Amino acid sequence: MFALIVLALAGCDTQPAAPFVSGGGIVSTNPCADQLLLALAPPGRIAAISHYSQEAAATSIPLDVARRFRGTASTAEEVVALKPDLILASSFTPASTLRAYERLGLKVLTLDSPTTIAASRDQIRIVAAALGTRAAGEALIARIDAAVALAAPRDTARPSALLFIADNFANGGPTLLTEMLTRAGFSTPPAAMSRSVPIEALMREPPAVIMTPDPDGRAATLRRRVLARAGLRVVEATFPRSLVNCGGPTIVPAMQRLAAIRSGMAR
């Protein structure tokens, strides 16, 4: 098997994935592909997901659900040994690995990271079509659209929100998170234009609310103390790390959490 993979690494360019044909199951190799696979495929067709989804710090899927399935480190050797009918890979998968899969005749669907809700809808439809589960795809899209609509604010206020992903690293720029914040009635403060946001920048232009995945972490604790000593009143809210990793199914709980934070500020 290893010899076959070595030969395949010298193969041809990546070609578009063919439609899914039932047989040996489906393998996904990164957390965002994992959650799409679990949302759209019948459980009996799932051969394996990535080990990332079985780790609390990286998953976008409830751990008890993710751990019901086989996990892999997403190496070419592991995936090829499973002889899947379809591999859901990502744009971050090494080109040599993708060529190896296709050289060995494995069907591959390579997914990018959507930066808008519309792009996430498109990706769901692409994956659902590849799996032969278009109805499940449309049902998921309907749930996303409903969550986005329910999260829309009922007033004209647009409090500024800074969403930290980890430590001092914050969401910024044209991302899916930025669109979700906007749809939920928040504005983006100037500090968010720089992904690494030092405390000094917060003190110059404090946002109305800071969202953080780890309120008890060192960076969040230090921010809280410094802002309090400076007499700056900033609302702090927890935004789980699992909600910042991916689009797709994650949009639903992410919009629900943003709506809850926004509603709490209005009271």
Side-chain angles (χ1 to χ4, degrees), residues 119-258:
S120 194
R121 288 192 199 96
D122 291 343
Q123 185 175 81
I124 290 168
R125 288 192 170 104
I126 289 169
V127 174
L131 301 181
T133 57
R134 285 185 171 86
E138 293 306 315
L140 174 56
I141 289 170
R143 292 196 297 274
I144 289 171
D145 289 346
V148 173
L150 286 172
R154 289 165 175 74
D155 56 48
T156 58
R158 293 294 180 269
S160 59
L162 191 56
L163 194 161
F164 282 92
I165 295 172
D167 296 327
N168 291 324
F169 187 78
N171 170 68
T175 68
L176 177 59
L177 282 171
T178 299
E179 181 181 358
M180 288 195 290
L181 284 163
T182 301
R183 294 289 194 104
F186 294 100
S187 64
T188 303
M193 294 302 102
S194 173
R195 292 298 184 90
S196 180
V197 182
I199 292 177
E200 294 80 3
L202 291 180
M203 294 181 68
R204 286 194 299 269
E205 296 183 84
V209 58
I210 288 176
M211 303 179 195
T212 178
D214 185 15
D216 298 321
R218 182 177 179 276
T221 300
L222 181 58
R223 280 194 299 268
R224 188 180 305 119
R225 289 174 179 171
V226 171
L227 291 171
R229 288 176 182 174
L232 299 171
R233 299 184 62 183
V234 177
V235 174
E236 185 174 354
T238 301
F239 191 83
R241 181 69 177 83
S242 61
L243 300 183
V244 304
N245 295 331
C246 307
T250 300
I251 294 174
V252 175
M255 293 304 301
Q256 291 169 342
R257 180 59 188 144
L258 291 172

Side-chain angles (χ1 to χ4, degrees), residues 93-125:
T93 303
S96 58
T97 299
L98 295 175
R99 287 195 295 270
Y101 293 155
E102 297 190 4
R103 182 77 169 178
L104 293 169
L106 298 175
K107 298 179 179 66
V108 181
L109 181 60
T110 305
L111 307 175
D112 61 8
S113 298
T115 58
T116 66
I117 293 172
S120 194
R121 288 192 199 96
D122 291 343
Q123 185 175 81
I124 290 168
R125 288 192 170 104

